Amino acid sequence: MTRLVVLRPHTHAGKAYAPGDAIAVSPAIADWLIAQGIAQREATTDAIRTPLEKDYEEVGTAVASPSATKNPNRIKEPKA
């Protein structure tokens, strides 16, 4: 889901949103809302991210999953 901030009054899924309201939508709907000038991406700052989100960004993306590093069907490149 993509988090957006509504820029002008908008109804989504039967619920009315006012300017400044946050809304979570699929990436395709987010692109459409932005293109229509109805919403913009929510600013992501350290102040609104949770500690878990910060940890995941710092550590989780840098660590390869065990299944990716120990693939029994992996063919190694021959040494020259």
Side-chain angles (χ1 to χ4, degrees):
M1 298 301 267
T2 302
R3 292 192 50 87
L4 302 175
V5 175
V6 177
L7 299 175
R8 59 183 185 178
H10 178 68
T11 301
H12 177 75
K15 183 176 178 187
Y17 292 92
D21 287 347
I23 184 172
V25 296
S26 71
I29 292 174
D31 291 341
W32 184 86
L33 290 169
I34 292 167
Q36 301 302 314
I38 297 169
Q40 67 183 17
R41 295 198 187 280
E42 184 177 67
T44 303
T45 64
D46 286 343
I48 61 172
R49 290 186 303 157
T50 65
L52 182 60
E53 290 172 325
K54 293 176 190 175
D55 289 344
Y56 180 76
E57 289 174 3
E58 294 170 4
V59 178
T61 56
V63 178
S65 68
S67 61
T69 57
K70 296 181 181 179
N71 185 348
N73 298 324
R74 184 174 158 209
I75 301 172
K76 294 183 179 181
E77 184 177 337
K79 294 182 181 181

